Amino acid sequence: MKNIAALALLLFVSATAQEHKNACDVFSKISYVLQTRHIQPKPIDDSLSVYVFNTVVEGLDENHILFLQEDYEKLLVHRYKIDDYLKSGDCSFFSDFITTYKMALERNRQIASELFDTELPLNTTDTVFFSKRAFPYNKDISVSRKFIRKKIILDILEDVAKLSKDKDSLAAHLPELSMRAKDKIRENYFCRANAQLKPKEGFENNIYNRFYTAFCAYFDPHSTYFNYDEKASFVSSLITENYSLGIYVSQNDKKEIIVEDVVPGGPAYKTSKIDKGDQILKLAANDIEYAVSCTDMEAITDIVFSDTYRNVELTLRKKDGTIYSVNLEKTIMKSDDHSVYSYVLGNEIPVGYIKIPSFYSAFDNTGMKGCAEDVAKEVTKLKKHGIKGLIIDLQYNGGGSMDEAISMAGMFINFGPVGIIKDKDNYTNTIQDYNRGMLYNGPMVVLVNGFSASASEFFSGVLQDYNRALIVGSTTMGKASMQTILPLSENSNNQDFVKVSIDKFYRITGKSSQYTGIVPDVELPLLFESIAPRESSQPTAMLNDSLAESEEFRKMPLQNLEKAAELSRGRVSANKDFTEIKALNTKIDALYKGTKAPLPVSFTAVFDDVHATDTLWQKIKTIAEKETALNIKETTAIKSKDDFYVSMNEYKRKSIKTDLFIAEGVAIITDLVHLSGGQK
């Protein structure tokens, strides 16, 4: 029997060693791709080791409630050695991370199991403290046990507090409500714990993938590792038609599932109940209820999009605390014929408006046209309506095809250079617009915000440099790099891929928007402005630089643009809605960036904390949904018998009516027309 046990152990050790060897091989291939193809390769040294170590360890235990100090010290010996392991091809260090992490998870699960089996008080003398920085690791298991106990009680009280805004009613029924909440918290806790111990890709692979991803991120935030499943998921996201509830979901930093967007014309949209930002609390489908707090994003996405789950009941919570449920039946969601769309706006003069959600490209044999061609068609339609000016809306446009952005920029300048591309060998290539003339030569405004990135920034920079348009809104993201996805081997069954940054693009002045973004000519306050995803907030973002050379080009006269910008600034400073947004942003910044006060673990304190921001969220919703008096005219007849197109048109019109940036864009175009001696 001993010989059999020894043989089993030997086989296990041998299999583990082989897995580590395979992981080391992937690690080495990732390193080779990044070193040979990345626009700014970095040396494999101690700095990389420290970054990868810190990123992985913080990802495993962000709040320092899982590992004890002795666990951390066991891992700490590897902090400066990962580069050496990679160079030597020795990845046995993975064993320490795998065993230490698994042991910590099992230990905390056992502590929680014991605590859930005891009677927990609902009002205690304990206090939970909050900090922007992680607390030190606990040295004693008893301290961890005490914290887990406080956290469980806090979670129970928060769950009860979120049931209603009526504190007295909840307090009167606290004992029975807390029992149900305890059962729910227990189920969610062990569901999460089991998911961590048995991830879909396997426990060891989960650790390997964390290291691969951190390694790529060291080079820049946009380089990343894809395993086969992640690559497949990325490809499947390109499918244009599927069964859907008509919502997109994401996971926030609290691991909550949030409605990212509601698709016009879809089942969710037609309820008139579900809003962007609502939190999904639970889903029920095929007679099974899913606890969202422990269901992974892949499973939730499957429930939302797969035709296996045709009828789904959602329970959601709005930001003001309101909880509601909806029953949805999936339908096949079809793409709009044109992602780009246009309207004629304005009460005084006709102003063309074109929304560009992304710089999508044409695909062979699909009949799909590229973004630039679609914009050209919309401009042609708008000119037939006699527009006196044009607004290009790039808000929330995260980029896409640079070829489309280049083509589109050429439509609005006479001719000349539009940008400069530089590769890892410092070879530069000037991109030219050789087509003389403009598709449209009237006054223009380009709208941007902190979510406008990459190709959007390229296009905006060209029009700003040529004085072709006023750039209006808030500073853009600051991403001026281009990526490609490369396999790690040439095998047909390749399982591993790297998305790597291979080029940087510059403005024709030689300057770059990388890190700094495009600064608008007229800056407008945007809700949640300071927490928009800036490139400058990423620790490994490539810094801003400039080229020594610039290109010769002919600018358009600036005089009217400067005068219109000055008039706009005066109008914005006097606008009560913009003033309200600034005031709300101050409160939002305090909420997200301020240090939260210590919270007593009692029902009264927890209820007050949960509902402390209800009024703020209601004010945010009110200002975000307030409609302007803009007149909107369709450029294309709406198919009145097609529910999808009717809903889509309704959604687009509402988006325009509630957008202060668009209203100000129309006002600026009106000023530009008057300043040029146009229509009075």
Side-chain angles (χ1 to χ4, degrees):
M1 181 65 73
K2 289 183 179 179
N3 289 338
I4 294 175
L7 178 61
L9 177 61
L10 180 62
L11 291 173
F12 172 77
V13 171
S14 176
T16 300
Q18 183 60 44
E19 288 176 354
H20 291 350
K21 184 178 182 302
N22 293 339
C24 221
D25 182 54
V26 173
F27 223 155
S28 178
K29 289 177 179 177
I30 291 173
S31 176
Y32 176 78
V33 170
L34 289 168
Q35 288 293 332
T36 57
R37 299 298 300 274
H38 196 276
I39 178 68
Q40 272 182 214
K42 296 180 180 179
I44 309 299
D45 57 14
D46 285 354
S47 294
L48 177 142
S49 293
V50 171
Y51 176 83
V52 171
F53 175 87
N54 289 346
T55 301
V56 171
V57 172
E58 290 301 305
L60 295 174
D61 184 17
E62 182 180 6
N63 298 311
H64 293 191
I65 61 175
L66 182 65
F67 293 137
L68 296 176
Q69 181 65 31
E70 63 183 83
D71 300 328
Y72 178 68
E73 289 176 355
K74 181 179 180 180
L75 301 177
L76 192 61
V77 299
H78 302 294
R79 191 167 186 245
Y80 290 94
K81 298 181 180 179
I82 295 173
D83 59 317
D84 300 321
Y85 300 147
L86 183 59
K87 292 172 184 176
S88 65
D90 179 10
C91 288
S92 58
F93 76 97
F94 278 128
S95 290
D96 281 348
F97 284 87
I98 291 168
T99 56
T100 303
Y101 182 46
K102 180 176 289 187
M103 180 188 68
L105 287 172
E106 291 174 340
R107 179 180 61 219
N108 277 27
R109 183 174 65 172
Q110 179 60 34
I111 292 172
S113 179
E114 294 169 359
L115 289 170
F116 276 116
D117 287 339
T118 65
E119 186 174 341
L120 299 170
L122 301 180
N123 288 287
T124 74
T125 57
D126 291 327
T127 299
V128 174
F129 294 87
F130 302 91
S131 173
K132 290 296 180 182
R133 296 183 179 180
F135 290 103
Y137 292 99
N138 294 326
K139 295 182 179 180
D140 194 299
I141 190 67
S142 63
V143 179
S144 291
R145 181 184 179 88
K146 182 178 179 181
F147 177 83
I148 294 172
R149 177 179 176 272
K150 286 196 294 185
K151 183 66 169 61
I152 290 173
I153 297 172
L154 180 64
D155 287 346
I156 292 171
L157 294 176
E158 282 188 343
D159 191 73
V160 174
K162 290 177 179 179
L163 293 174
S164 169
K165 298 181 184 180
D166 189 336
K167 183 197 291 187
D168 293 338
S169 176
L170 292 177
H173 299 88
L174 186 58
E176 57 264 38
L177 292 175
S178 64
M179 288 297 293
R180 289 201 291 268
K182 182 180 179 181
D183 290 341
K184 174 184 172 183
I185 299 301
R186 182 207 298 263
E187 181 182 353
N188 292 343
Y189 183 93
F190 290 113
C191 185
R192 287 195 301 270
N194 292 336
Q196 288 174 310
L197 283 164
K198 295 181 179 180
K200 180 182 178 182
E201 69 271 30
F203 195 86
E204 290 78 9
N205 285 334
N206 178 271
I207 298 297
Y208 299 151
N209 293 352
R210 288 174 183 268
F211 274 90
Y212 302 155
T213 301
F215 185 89
C216 294
Y218 175 71
F219 288 79
D220 80 285
H222 307 289
S223 292
T224 192
Y225 163 79
F226 283 153
N227 61 31
Y228 182 83
D229 287 341
E230 290 166 337
K231 176 72 164 19
S233 177
F234 172 78
V235 172
S236 68
S237 69
L238 301 178
I239 297 174
T240 57
E241 291 191 0
N242 51 30
Y243 277 94
S244 173
L245 298 176
I247 58 173
Y248 292 102
V249 297
S250 64
Q251 193 172 54
N252 64 16
D253 55 3
K254 295 180 180 179
K255 308 303 181 184
E256 296 169 338
I257 305 302
I258 304 299
V259 176
E260 185 73 19
D261 208 351
V262 180
V263 182
Y269 179 85
K270 291 178 181 178
T271 68
S272 300
K273 293 181 179 180
I274 301 176
D275 294 316
K276 180 178 179 180
D278 289 359
Q279 177 190 352
I280 299 177
L281 302 177
K282 61 183 179 182
L283 306 92
N286 295 355
D287 299 321
I288 300 175
E289 185 173 297
Y290 297 85
V292 171
S293 57
C294 77
T295 305
D296 60 37
M297 275 298 295
E298 184 176 350
I300 291 172
T301 302
D302 189 42
I303 293 170
V304 171
F305 290 105
S306 171
D307 60 1
T308 304
Y309 308 88
R310 290 294 183 90
N311 293 279
V312 180
E313 181 181 9
L314 297 179
T315 300
L316 305 99
R317 180 178 185 267
K318 293 193 175 295
K319 290 180 178 179
D320 66 358
T322 302
I323 295 176
Y324 65 101
S325 296
V326 292
N327 287 288
L328 302 176
E329 181 178 355
K330 289 183 181 177
T331 60
I332 293 180
M333 298 295 295
K334 53 186 177 179
S335 299
D336 197 357
D337 288 340
H338 298 283
S339 291
V340 167
Y341 61 85
S342 69
Y343 289 94
V344 177
L345 310 180
N347 303 320
E348 182 181 348
I349 62 171
V351 176
Y353 169 83
I354 298 178
K355 175 67 175 179
I356 306 174
S358 68
F359 283 89
Y360 51 88
S361 182
F363 293 98
D364 293 339
N365 302 321
T366 65
M368 178 181 175
K369 304 301 181 182
C371 169
E373 184 173 341
D374 286 346
V375 167
K377 290 180 178 178
E378 298 304 318
V379 170
T380 301
K381 285 195 296 185
L382 290 168
K383 288 167 68 174
K384 291 179 180 178
H385 283 80
I387 61 169
K388 302 299 181 182
L390 179 63
I391 296 172
I392 300 290
D393 190 348
L394 300 180
Q395 295 181 84
Y396 303 99
N397 183 324
S401 168
M402 283 293 294
D403 288 338
E404 297 294 330
I406 291 166
S407 296
M408 207 173 92
M411 297 178 188
F412 301 106
I413 64 170
N414 191 16
F415 73 95
V418 293
I420 305 170
I421 304 292
K422 185 178 79 170
D423 65 16
K424 70 179 298 291
D425 297 320
N426 290 322
Y427 175 78
T428 60
N429 177 38
T430 300
I431 304 165
Q432 297 278 351
D433 168 41
Y434 293 105
N435 298 317
R436 288 185 175 273
M438 294 180 246
L439 181 62
Y440 180 76
N441 61 6
M444 290 182 63
V445 162
V446 176
L447 300 177
V448 295
N449 62 18
F451 298 87
S452 306
S454 196
S456 291
E457 295 175 289
F458 179 91
F459 176 83
S460 302
V462 173
L463 269 63
Q464 189 176 52
D465 288 337
Y466 273 91
N467 294 337
R468 180 63 189 88
L470 270 184
I471 311 301
V472 177
S474 53
T475 301
T476 59
M477 184 180 290
K479 178 183 179 294
S481 60
M482 291 181 283
Q483 289 72 39
T484 188
I485 297 177
L486 301 171
L488 293 188
S489 70
E490 299 302 322
N491 298 332
S492 59
N493 62 342
N494 186 44
Q495 300 289 304
D496 305 282
F497 306 83
V498 173
K499 184 177 73 167
V500 56
S501 299
I502 58 171
D503 292 310
K504 292 174 71 176
F505 59 84
Y506 295 80
R507 298 168 72 156
I508 48 181
T509 59
K511 296 181 180 180
S512 171
S513 60
Q514 172 62 30
Y515 202 80
T516 58
I518 299 288
V519 180
D521 302 301
V522 177
E523 295 197 56
L524 305 178
L526 176 72
L527 281 169
F528 300 97
E529 171 65 29
S530 66
I531 58 175
R534 306 290 185 192
E535 187 84 354
S536 57
S537 66
Q538 302 293 330
T540 59
M542 290 182 280
L543 300 179
N544 183 267
D545 65 346
S546 299
L547 298 176
E549 70 272 17
S550 61
E551 297 296 327
E552 292 185 2
F553 62 101
R554 181 175 296 179
K555 295 184 178 184
M556 297 185 68
L558 184 62
Q559 185 177 10
N560 286 344
L561 291 181
E562 288 182 330
K563 289 180 179 178
E566 185 178 350
L567 289 171
S568 177
R569 294 185 194 106
R571 189 164 46 241
V572 169
S573 64
N575 186 295
K576 293 181 180 179
D577 291 330
F578 281 127
T579 301
E580 173 70 7
I581 288 173
K582 290 179 181 179
L584 289 173
N585 276 342
T586 299
K587 296 179 180 179
I588 291 169
D589 291 348
L591 180 64
Y592 281 91
K593 297 183 177 181
T595 300
K596 188 174 180 178
L599 179 64
V601 186
S602 67
F603 176 70
T604 297
V606 171
F607 180 92
D608 291 343
D609 180 67
V610 166
H611 294 282
T613 57
D614 288 356
T615 301
L616 173 61
W617 289 118
Q618 186 56 52
K619 289 181 178 178
I620 291 171
K621 182 179 180 181
T622 299
I623 193 70
E625 294 182 351
K626 184 177 180 180
E627 294 192 355
T628 63
L630 269 182
N631 182 51
I632 304 174
K633 179 181 178 182
E634 282 80 15
T635 57
T636 304
I638 302 300
K639 303 173 185 178
S640 59
K641 294 184 179 181
D642 189 316
D643 288 343
F644 174 79
Y645 285 101
V646 170
S647 297
M648 180 68 76
N649 184 55
E650 177 186 305
Y651 171 81
K652 293 172 181 176
R653 290 176 66 95
K654 182 177 180 181
S655 297
I656 293 171
K657 281 273 193 180
T658 57
D659 194 322
L660 291 172
F661 281 32
I662 297 175
E664 181 55 30
V666 171
I668 291 172
I669 292 291
T670 302
D671 286 340
L672 285 170
V673 171
H674 290 167
L675 288 168
S676 64
Q679 179 175 334
K680 300 296 183 181

